[in-house]
Amino acid sequence: MATAMRHRGPDDEGLWLSDDGRVGLVNRRLAIVDCSPNGHMPMRNHDGTACITHNGEVYNAAELRAELTALGHRFRSTGDTEAILRGYEAWGLSVVHRLRGMFAFAIYDGRQRRLFLARDRLGIKPLYYSVTPEAFVFASELGALQVSGLVGRTVSPAGLVGYLLLGSVPGPLTIYNGVHALEPGCTLSLDIAGPAAAPKPHRYWTFPTDVVAPPSSAAAVGEVRSLLEDAVRCHLVSDVPLGAFLSGGLDSSAVVTLMRAVTGGPIRTCSMVFEEAGYSETVYARAVASAVGTEHTERIVTGGEVAGALDRILRTMDQPTVDGVNTYFVAETARQAGLTVALSGLGGDELFGGYPNTFAGVPGLLRALRVAQSVPAAAPVARAGLRWLGGPGRWAKVADALERPATPASAYLACRGLFPPAEVRMLVGPELWEAAAVGDPAGRIVSEMDVNGHGADWFSWVSRAELSGYTLHQLLRDTDVMSMAHSLEVRVPLLDHRLVEAVLRLPGSVKREGGRPKALLVRAVGDLLPPTVRARRPKQGFVFPFERWLRGELRGVCLEWQRETGGLLRPDVVAQVWRAYDAGRLHWSRPWALAALGGWRDATAARVS
């Protein structure tokens, strides 16, 4: 298992076994803070009664160390891992409430005969586990679980259907049978000495749903600016070279300009450039780099280069995803530029309202669904009309939404989903569809979404849905896998939990003020941004030119991978998807999702049962 995770930590390896041989912990270390041998993991406490293995970064470790030292605890290192371990000695399971950062860790307490696992609030760092007849096994990557010899490669029907519905596998499912993701903001305890029983996760944090009106709009802007500066400042702790991804979009530009606002040291930035006009945001990235005075690295990425790297990228993927290729290349560029840590603007769109498709689309679509369903016989007529007029595509997802109760979650799935449920059922066939969940996999996903009442505040409801869905299951997961493939730690200051809590509690009217996407973020950091970035309005996003590449350089390898979906998907329906794309009736993400699934299966030798 350690060998399988070597890329996650090339600096050190450690293995610990309990005296009775019943518990083993392993760690591959990417040394960031206190790179000395004092940070070696797994790390034991002074009397050897507790041992920890940890992945991530706790940004308030210095404050915790001072508090624990005052309580009489002695430290051998200046790293964050020991702060967690000493915190566990002082506060027990409630140590998670004290931590600020991204983390996944396991502590074995020899006195209690208890194994304690925890994951950070937003799910920035992954943690997977499986309960088998032989053992309880866990790891940061699915590949490490599989090489243990305890976990197989049989595809989960529910995970497969979830992937086709959303473009990524929704947790706590994974693509494999019998393997689960520990959900964000959760802990899990296993009694080693007690009777064999499946451990149940315990939730210690969730998104706030209350709304707190600020004294004024200006006060809200000032509070957010202060929280942004504090979040970026604490994310800069590092004893190794640190920089940032800079796409030229508002979020990454905000992070880089805030870095300059809180530090006078050198800043390194990296961005991607494309030959295809309309995709590169070079002019904006260069404007920010020039204004801030960064050491800026640009990399030109071509379709041919991506085609040549796809096999390598697919072997990197723990699970199939429609995203991640872009992060693979920018992470590789950052590592080649000498960085070990990079800050990212990930999370800004979800927190501040950067997606018109969902922030405006969900409430608008829900109103339309309710109107259609309130008129007798209107819904069936509308469904038939939408399918006849629109064919495959978004209107097919709307037609499917008309078949279930009109709820915020069903409207969100229609806006954010990949394939509509009816098309997923055709792709996998009725037998696998039924195996995915009793009756209705799409309905299960909808029912498990954040369905807390939105009241009059749609903005925060959509933010919670995006953060607990798209951000968690796709953006954060892909960022971790693709960056760690290059031994690069990526930090996301815009998902600092204190900032997230504060912004979610603000009324939507404050965040929408002016009608501009991410209006609150612009007001909070606008004085730092170059005029060209501050004035731009259309959101482009960090997207590779797949629309063109799938008709050119990537076409051959994608059609090769199409054969690898046999046994998972119906070949005739897969061929229909490609024909619809070639006719201009489908977004590129649909055929790419099927190609990525075939390539992932080819790389991992996954099988269906």
Side-chain angles (χ1 to χ4, degrees):
M1 293 175 74
T3 301
M5 294 191 295
R6 179 181 175 85
H7 52 279
R8 297 187 72 91
D11 299 327
D12 190 18
E13 176 183 341
L15 171 67
W16 173 85
L17 291 173
S18 62
D19 291 339
D20 61 7
R22 295 191 64 189
V23 180
L25 301 179
V26 70
N27 186 275
R28 293 293 322 196
R29 187 184 181 204
L30 180 63
I32 305 291
V33 177
D34 190 351
C35 301
S36 75
N38 292 333
H40 177 78
M41 289 184 278
M43 180 182 291
R44 301 176 70 185
N45 63 354
H46 289 293
D47 62 9
T49 58
C51 188
I52 182 174
T53 183
H54 165 228
N55 173 220
E57 205 70 52
V58 173
Y59 303 118
N60 64 333
E63 293 91 336
L64 293 173
R65 192 180 304 111
E67 183 178 358
L68 289 162
T69 298
L71 293 175
H73 290 265
R74 294 177 292 114
F75 283 80
R76 291 181 295 230
S77 73
T78 58
D80 57 336
T81 300
E82 190 173 8
I84 302 173
L85 184 58
R86 305 290 172 226
Y88 175 81
E89 290 180 306
W91 305 307
L93 306 186
S94 63
V95 64
V96 289
H97 297 286
R98 305 279 193 130
L99 306 180
R100 180 184 187 183
M102 56 180 189
F103 53 83
F105 66 81
I107 295 175
Y108 177 63
D109 186 333
R111 291 176 177 171
Q112 301 287 335
R113 303 294 302 281
R114 177 176 61 206
L115 183 67
F116 176 58
L117 279 67
R119 190 179 182 194
D120 66 69
R121 295 168 181 82
L122 276 298
I124 302 167
K125 282 298 173 183
L127 183 51
Y128 302 104
Y129 69 94
S130 180
V131 182
T132 78
E134 299 86 3
F136 173 85
V137 60
F138 63 94
S140 296
E141 292 187 0
L142 296 178
L145 293 182
Q146 288 163 344
V147 300
S148 71
L150 299 169
V151 176
R153 298 179 184 270
T154 303
V155 170
S156 158
L160 175 63
V161 166
Y163 166 70
L164 295 170
L165 288 169
L166 298 170
S168 57
V169 180
L173 297 171
T174 71
I175 195 63
Y176 296 111
N177 272 332
V179 182
H180 313 280
L182 182 63
E183 295 194 84
C186 286
T187 63
L188 188 149
S189 295
L190 185 70
D191 183 358
I192 302 297
K200 295 182 179 180
H202 167 73
R203 184 167 295 281
Y204 68 88
W205 184 88
T206 189
F207 293 108
T209 57
D210 55 318
V211 176
V212 180
S216 65
S217 176
V221 171
E223 179 191 16
V224 170
R225 172 62 172 266
S226 177
L227 288 167
L228 283 166
E229 289 181 349
D230 182 55
V232 170
R233 182 183 294 108
C234 77
H235 279 68
L236 296 179
V237 58
S238 175
D239 293 334
V240 295
L242 177 147
F245 297 160
L246 179 58
S247 69
L250 179 58
D251 302 329
S252 64
S253 298
V255 168
V256 171
T257 53
L258 285 163
M259 290 171 71
R260 173 53 70 223
V262 301
T263 181
I267 298 174
R268 301 191 209 176
T269 52
C270 300
S271 67
M272 301 289 98
V273 179
F274 306 109
E275 296 174 335
E276 290 80 4
Y279 286 90
S280 287
E281 298 182 288
T282 309
V283 62
Y284 304 109
R286 288 176 180 173
V288 174
S290 176
V292 172
T294 74
E295 300 175 21
H296 190 54
T297 299
E298 291 181 350
R299 176 177 179 180
I300 299 175
V301 179
T302 66
E305 185 178 8
V306 172
L310 278 182
D311 281 337
R312 187 166 68 250
I313 294 171
L314 269 293
R315 284 195 300 272
T316 295
M317 288 182 183
D318 252 0
Q319 307 189 69
T321 173
V322 299
D323 204 7
V325 175
N326 48 6
T327 306
Y328 181 92
F329 278 96
V330 71
E332 183 178 62
T333 302
R335 196 60 163 137
Q336 290 171 350
L339 299 180
T340 307
V341 180
L343 271 60
S344 165
L346 193 158
D349 285 317
E350 296 79 7
L351 192 58
F352 292 100
Y355 300 126
N357 183 51
T358 51
F359 280 91
V362 170
L365 178 57
L366 181 60
R367 287 192 294 269
L369 293 173
R370 285 174 173 168
V371 169
Q373 293 183 351
S374 68
V375 179
V381 173
R383 283 197 302 271
L386 288 170
R387 289 198 168 109
W388 182 76
L389 289 171
R394 180 178 178 181
W395 295 118
K397 292 188 285 186
V398 175
D400 273 290
L402 283 166
E403 295 183 355
R404 65 186 76 257
T407 66
S410 62
Y412 177 82
L413 182 63
C415 290
R416 174 57 77 187
L418 183 65
F419 286 97
E423 292 180 24
V424 174
R425 183 168 186 166
M426 291 174 59
L427 278 163
V428 301
E431 185 175 338
L432 199 151
W433 174 267
E434 292 298 330
V438 178
D440 184 8
R444 178 187 55 76
I445 289 172
V446 166
S447 68
E448 291 177 357
M449 280 186 60
D450 173 15
V451 292
N452 292 307
H454 60 84
D457 193 353
W458 272 106
F459 198 106
S460 292
W461 188 94
V462 176
S463 276
R464 293 196 302 270
E466 293 280 34
L467 289 166
S468 61
Y470 176 61
T471 309
L472 169 66
H473 302 137
Q474 187 162 312
L475 299 183
L476 286 174
R477 182 187 297 160
D478 291 347
T479 295
D480 176 82
V481 168
M482 296 303 178
S483 62
M484 294 307 289
H486 300 292
S487 306
L488 179 79
E489 178 173 282
V490 174
R491 299 177 179 177
V492 284
L494 299 186
L495 292 181
D496 176 76
H497 81 272
R498 297 181 186 180
L499 174 65
V500 169
E501 290 174 345
V503 174
L504 286 180
R505 287 192 169 104
L506 289 172
S509 57
V510 173
K511 291 175 275 193
R512 290 191 305 269
E513 192 170 338
R516 170 179 180 160
K518 294 187 277 196
L520 178 59
L521 180 60
V522 172
R523 293 182 66 199
V525 301
D527 62 305
L528 302 176
L529 299 171
T532 54
V533 176
R534 187 168 60 247
R536 67 178 302 198
R537 280 186 174 268
K539 173 179 171 53
Q540 180 167 313
F542 181 33
V543 179
F544 277 27
F546 277 97
E547 173 69 30
R548 298 189 182 185
W549 292 348
L550 284 178
R551 302 183 190 280
E553 297 94 328
L554 304 187
R555 183 70 171 200
V557 68
C558 287
L559 293 180
E560 269 183 44
W561 285 344
Q562 185 172 323
R563 296 193 298 270
E564 297 299 330
T565 59
L568 296 177
L569 307 180
R570 292 173 54 190
D572 58 325
V573 183
V574 171
Q576 289 176 21
V577 171
W578 278 97
R579 285 196 295 270
Y581 170 70
D582 289 337
R585 294 187 292 119
L586 276 187
H587 189 265
W588 63 264
S589 58
R590 307 280 188 87
W592 169 248
L594 304 184
L597 175 65
W600 166 84
R601 190 184 186 194
D602 182 49
T604 61
R607 60 182 182 273
V608 68
S609 64

